[in-house]
Amino acid sequence: MEIKNIPEPVLTKPNDVKIKMSAVGICGSDIHYYTQGQIGSQKVKYPFAVGHEGAGIVVEVGPNVKRVKIGDAIAIDPAMPCWKCDQCLSGRHHTCREMKFLACPGQAEGCLMEYIVMPEDSCFPLSGILNTDHGSISEPLAIGVYSVKKSRCAKGMKIGIFGYGPIGMSVMLATKAQGIDNIYITDKIDARLAIALTEGAILTSNPLKENVVDQIRQKEFLGLDVVFECCGQQEAFDQAIDILKPGGQLIVVGIPEFDYWSMNVEETRRKEISIQFIRRQVDCVEKALTMMNTGLIKIDKMITHRFPFENTKEGFDLVADYKDGVMKTMIDF
Ligand SMILES: [Zn+2]
Ligand SMILES: [Zn+2]
């Protein structure tokens, strides 16, 4: 990883917004590109800028821009859909056929840069108590909000979140915001489980040390209603099928490093488990921002580390090696 000098980006379309970046969160997908150079079939061609969880200050706007003005602090939605294809027209612009997404190879460079240009549709002004940290966190948090929206979660249900990185934590915060209290968390890092406990998890367990299914079943004899798989691990997927009650729902949010999930067909079928995969999020950035602005969701335990832009590599290495109880690492400009 290196820092390169490149020309400052310029506005090319009337609804373009130029942003001076303030904060960029490091995401698991950035780490996949950093350590593996690819996610599935999406391969990086170097040089390539990563980063898609960004917030900054508007420094220039095109003549048609209405939503933001120069000087505004904004959150950036990294998705730039075409707004014209069948997916976009049916409200599924997160699966747009012509999607351009920040830091996606072949689509767009990432936002770990001093300046970027985005369409105004991707810019969300930060109001009230919201600062650029909230703006940056709104990206993973929106995925949590969307995942919960796609689930059948309701008050009184027993919920599992398997994998408690920033996405698992986002799901937890969104679940709690719905008034759901019976939440069971697993992760291989004890420091993360400690955070989960302070956020109100009923039980946390570490699959490296315990049989998590047995542990949960001791408390919930009938099993769980919904499990969110948030780590992309086959064993977590299997544990979810195991601990779900008949009619239960598995929400798969995690991005695995392998190409095929496998599942116990008999158990999944007999229990009539429904499985819902999650592709990022749609229309949930503003919801996530509002939930933070009203205090319904607090993110103070999410950001555990910060590095100045010059030391970005240090931040990436820390996250890649899961060192020092890291949850979300922020790069500051
Ligand atoms: Zn992300
Ligand atoms: Zn489209």
Side-chain angles (χ1 to χ4, degrees):
M1 182 176 287
E2 59 179 320
I3 294 178
K4 276 177 119 59
N5 254 316
I6 56 166
E8 248 181 71
V10 290
L11 306 188
T12 55
K13 297 191 199 80
N15 66 336
D16 274 352
V17 176
K18 183 166 160 183
I19 305 147
K20 186 176 192 323
M21 298 305 296
S22 307
V24 175
I26 301 178
C27 175
S29 62
D30 297 321
I31 297 295
H32 283 289
Y33 290 132
Y34 176 50
T35 58
Q36 254 120 69
Q38 66 186 90
I39 296 180
S41 58
Q42 280 170 315
K43 284 199 175 75
V44 170
K45 269 193 19 222
Y46 299 100
F48 181 71
V50 286
H52 62 268
E53 301 181 357
I57 308 293
V58 175
V59 291
E60 199 183 338
V61 294
N64 290 1
V65 172
K66 293 190 185 70
R67 199 197 282 190
V68 297
K69 56 183 192 308
I70 292 172
D72 280 355
I74 59 163
I76 299 164
D77 182 342
M80 293 171 275
C82 77
W83 302 110
K84 287 177 195 145
C85 70
D86 64 322
Q87 295 294 299
C88 284
L89 293 176
S90 65
R92 295 187 49 90
H93 38 274
H94 60 312
T95 50
C96 170
R97 310 258 180 190
E98 305 291 332
M99 175 65 93
K100 288 194 165 38
F101 195 94
L102 290 183
C104 242
Q107 297 182 9
E109 296 270 319
C111 63
L112 262 170
M113 304 195 193
E114 289 173 301
Y115 293 93
I116 65 164
V117 167
M118 293 294 284
E120 74 169 320
D121 288 328
S122 295
C123 302
F124 293 86
L126 296 166
S127 60
I129 63 162
L130 301 177
N131 58 36
T132 49
D133 279 351
H134 296 103
S136 176
I137 293 292
S138 71
E139 200 272 341
L141 185 58
I143 296 170
V145 171
Y146 177 65
S147 304
V148 172
K149 200 176 142 206
K150 291 289 272 186
S151 77
R152 296 196 290 258
C153 276
K155 253 190 184 159
M157 280 190 174
K158 325 283 186 194
I159 307 297
I161 299 172
F162 293 178
Y164 200 70
I167 290 295
M169 186 170 181
S170 295
V171 170
M172 165 86 157
L173 294 171
T175 313
K176 297 277 295 183
Q178 293 247 314
I180 294 166
D181 292 320
N182 304 305
I183 304 174
Y184 294 80
I185 306 276
T186 72
D187 200 279
K188 290 177 180 169
I189 300 172
D190 286 334
R192 289 181 166 180
L193 295 177
I195 297 176
L197 276 181
T198 66
E199 291 287 353
I202 288 204
L203 176 89
T204 61
S205 37
N206 184 333
L208 294 177
K209 299 175 184 169
E210 293 127 0
N211 182 324
V212 301
V213 171
D214 283 354
Q215 271 207 333
I216 298 171
R217 197 167 277 135
Q218 271 171 26
K219 288 233 178 198
E220 297 295 346
F221 173 65
L222 296 174
L224 301 179
D225 296 282
V226 180
V227 173
F228 296 87
E229 199 288 340
C230 296
C231 51
Q233 301 287 323
Q234 182 64 51
E235 57 173 317
F237 191 102
D238 294 338
Q239 289 155 0
I241 299 289
D242 199 350
I243 195 62
L244 277 166
K245 61 171 68 163
Q249 189 185 27
L250 170 57
I251 310 280
V252 186
V253 197
I255 302 175
E257 284 181 3
F258 46 85
D259 292 331
Y260 290 89
W261 288 107
S262 64
M263 65 173 144
N264 180 322
V265 174
E266 184 177 25
E267 205 183 356
T268 312
R269 182 179 66 78
R270 281 181 191 275
K271 283 189 183 171
E272 205 179 41
I273 302 293
S274 49
I275 302 178
Q276 170 73 55
F277 287 89
I278 297 295
R279 175 61 165 159
R280 298 178 181 143
Q281 58 84 26
V282 63
D283 293 333
C284 285
V285 171
E286 217 158 11
K287 286 189 183 76
L289 289 171
T290 305
M291 287 163 123
M292 290 187 279
N293 207 0
T294 55
L296 193 57
I297 284 181
K298 293 195 174 63
I299 55 154
D300 24 300
K301 294 191 190 94
M302 177 97 76
I303 301 169
T304 51
H305 296 76
R306 320 190 70 99
F307 292 87
F309 183 48
E310 300 75 50
N311 300 354
T312 296
K313 185 179 183 312
E314 226 179 296
F316 270 69
D317 289 337
L318 177 101
V319 179
D321 297 338
Y322 296 96
K323 274 191 245 166
D324 199 25
V326 64
M327 186 59 87
K328 180 59 75 185
T329 296
M330 205 61 84
I331 304 296
D332 293 310
F333 289 80

